Amino acid sequence: SSDGQNLLRVHLILHWPHCDPNISWMECEEEEERLPQYVKDAGPPPHLNPNAWKDSWRALEELYLQDRRHQRARHLYENVPSVPSNPRIQIESIGVSNFDVKEMKS
């Protein structure tokens, strides 16, 4: 970037609304079984809840908004020498793929 920082611009995407057991290569149950216990402890398997993606989307929205707020605050202090100028990640966008309109409106 122009201020000499190392900046990694990231685009986050929810690739599928849910694991579909009707698609053989998705291996929903097998994938869940391979997860570390701390991930399993976070909640029920998403493939058992067709609306689980909504919580993931809300989390992405919050990350995106926090990043935007952080960028505005960082701009206020960009010339203050006591604020470290560490390499950072910037969330450029969030999005979805493999969703149909019905899922998006639900």
Side-chain angles (χ1 to χ4, degrees), residues 27-37 40 47:
E27 301 176 340
C28 301
E29 290 182 33
E30 294 85 354
E31 186 176 308
E32 287 294 323
E33 289 173 15
R34 290 190 300 263
L35 291 172
Q37 190 60 46
K40 293 177 186 177
H47 72 280

Side-chain angles (χ1 to χ4, degrees), residues 68-83:
R68 290 294 172 242
R69 287 190 294 267
H70 177 75
Q71 286 177 36
R72 285 193 300 270
R74 187 176 186 86
H75 177 71
L76 295 174
Y77 299 101
E78 64 187 8
N79 294 320
V80 178
S82 63
V83 175

Side-chain angles (χ1 to χ4, degrees), residues 2 33 35 39 41 44 55 61 64 66 70 75 84 86 101 106:
S2 62
E33 289 173 15
L35 291 172
V39 175
D41 291 344
D55 289 334
E61 286 180 321
Y64 179 80
Q66 283 178 3
H70 177 75
H75 177 71
N86 296 325
V101 174
S106 66

Side-chain angles (χ1 to χ4, degrees), residues 8-14 60 89-95:
L8 177 62
R9 291 186 169 100
V10 177
H11 302 270
L12 301 173
I13 190 165
L14 287 180
L60 289 179
I89 296 172
Q90 178 175 313
I91 300 173
E92 286 288 311
S93 65
I94 57 175

